[in-house]
């Protein structure tokens, strides 16, 4: 006869042994490997791409099993290089990406890069200018880096909101680094600048901000991001999923502006003093279709896109990684 005092421990032991067979599912299955471990990523504007650059330099993508090769775009078109197969992922302005997608380019967005903040883009004038308020000229001539791109879009939005007839605004294409000279020569009434050009003009020439470009319909406006060709994305979902995860962590770390300010002089021509003074926007840690749709809708309403673009169709499928 089994004594009752031994019964409970004996039953517990038997259940433990049985549990091994009942609840165990055998060996843990390892997750499938990444389709590739190296990605060629085109990078441009150093402020917009700062978190990515910082993370790559610190080896953060290595912990995700990726080797990221940064390729400086300079004046080259990252989207064209993407289409040619010279890049796996490229940085580009949201406007450029959405214009390409509307034109038939098969793209998949891989992350947001940068969103505007107060005075990160602005209409700028020089001391002595007679253009002192946005409505001061009925037909202002505005210098923009590219026609029918961000500068023109923002200038129309800001001046139109102030009460200027958008149809009467004239645009002159001028590279950012030549805008101060264009203003000095009276070739333009104001220039739509971004950082660090705003701070440089203020510091070197005593320039004034006529109007903050990040207000109204362009308040907290998405400016840039990263994209892949859709066929490449479909063939490499786990690789790009790992990239998005690591990029999100890099973007999250940039919520501390000091990290960006300290790093900028290391990989750009922005000096320490300018880096300390520039206005910074924000770095979204994940793709947000609703936020990005604002850009496409403003492009459509402004005539930059003939039809409405559904940005949600450009995002990766949920749980791709």
């Amino acid at each position: 006869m089994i004594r009752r005092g031994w019964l409970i421990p004996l039953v517990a032991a038997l259940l433990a042994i049985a549990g091994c067979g009942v609840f165990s599912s055998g060996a843990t299955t390892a997750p499938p490997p990444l389709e590739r471990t190296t990605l060629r990523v085109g990078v441009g504007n150093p402020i917009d791409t700062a978190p990515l650059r910082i993370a790559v330099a610190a080896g953060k993508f290595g912990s995700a099993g990726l080797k990221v090769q940064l390729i400086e775009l300079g004046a080259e078109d990252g989207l064209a290089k993407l289409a040619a197969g010279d890049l796996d992922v490229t940085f580009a302005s949201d406007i450029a990406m959405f214009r390409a997608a509307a034109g038939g380019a098969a793209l998949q967005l891989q992350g947001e890069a940068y969103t505007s903040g107060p005075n990160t883009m602005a209409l700028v004038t020089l001391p002595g200018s007679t253009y002192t308020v946005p409505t001061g000229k009925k037909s202002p001539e505005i210098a923009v880096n590219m026609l029918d791109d961000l500068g023109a879009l923002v200038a129309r939005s800001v001046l139109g909101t102030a009460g200027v007839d958008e149809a009467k605004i004239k645009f002159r294409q001028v590279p950012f680094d030549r805008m101060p000279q264009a203003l000095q020569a009276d070739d333009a009434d104001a220039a739509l600048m971004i950082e660090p050009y705003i701070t440089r003009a203020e510091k070197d020439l005593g320039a004034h901000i006529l109007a903050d470009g990040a207000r109204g319909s362009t308040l907290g406006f998405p400016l840039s991001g990263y994209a892949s060709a859709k066929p490449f994305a479909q063939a490499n979902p786990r690789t790009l999923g790992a990239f998005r995860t690591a990029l999100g962590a890099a973007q999250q770390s940039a919520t501390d502006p000091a990290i960006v300010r300290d790093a900028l002089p290391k990989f750009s021509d922005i000096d320490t003093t300018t880096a300390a003074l520039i206005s910074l926007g924000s770095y979204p840690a994940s793709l947000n279709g609703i936020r990005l749709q604002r850009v496409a809708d403003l492009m459509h309403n402004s005539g930059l896109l003939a039809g409405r673009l559904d940005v949600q169709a450009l995002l990766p499928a949920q749980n791709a990684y």
Side-chain angles (χ1 to χ4, degrees), residues 244-279:
R244 290 193 299 274
T245 299
L247 176 64
Q251 297 279 104
Q252 185 65 38
S253 70
T255 53
D256 180 358
I259 292 176
V260 176
R261 296 183 190 281
D262 290 344
L264 282 172
K266 300 174 183 177
F267 52 75
S268 72
D269 63 352
I270 300 174
D271 62 81
T272 303
T273 300
T274 301
L277 295 173
I278 58 173
S279 297

Side-chain angles (χ1 to χ4, degrees), residues 49-231:
T49 59
L52 173 62
R53 294 172 185 268
I54 294 168
V56 170
K60 299 296 185 180
F61 282 84
S63 60
L66 288 173
K67 178 182 179 182
V68 172
Q69 298 175 343
L70 296 183
I71 299 174
E72 296 290 343
L73 294 173
E76 294 185 278
D77 183 349
L79 293 171
K81 293 176 74 67
L82 195 71
D86 297 330
L87 294 173
D88 303 317
V89 179
T90 191
F91 164 84
S93 73
D94 289 331
I95 289 177
M97 289 191 290
F98 295 165
R99 180 186 285 121
L107 299 175
Q108 185 183 93
L109 304 184
Q110 299 304 328
E112 294 187 50
Y114 193 57
T115 296
S116 69
N119 295 324
T120 55
M121 52 186 184
L123 284 167
V124 175
T125 60
L126 295 184
S129 172
T130 59
Y131 194 17
T132 57
V133 293
T135 55
K137 292 183 179 291
K138 293 183 179 180
S139 183
E141 186 162 2
I142 308 299
V144 293
N145 184 49
M146 293 181 66
L147 301 176
D148 293 329
D149 209 288
L150 178 67
L153 192 71
V154 171
R156 284 194 187 98
S157 176
V158 171
L159 292 175
T161 299
V164 177
D165 185 347
E166 294 183 29
K168 294 183 178 180
I169 303 172
K170 300 175 183 178
F171 292 103
R172 175 184 292 271
Q173 185 167 324
V174 181
F176 285 123
D177 60 353
R178 299 293 300 170
M179 286 182 179
Q181 289 86 340
L183 293 175
Q184 288 173 324
D186 291 326
D187 291 334
D189 297 311
L192 196 291
M193 295 185 182
I194 61 173
E195 291 287 26
Y197 302 98
I198 298 171
T199 294
R200 286 172 177 164
E202 290 176 322
K203 182 164 57 76
D204 299 339
L205 302 172
H208 303 295
I209 290 181
L210 176 70
D212 181 3
R215 58 167 54 181
S217 61
T218 51
L219 175 66
F221 198 61
L223 299 179
S224 55
Y226 301 95
S228 292
K230 194 167 185 178

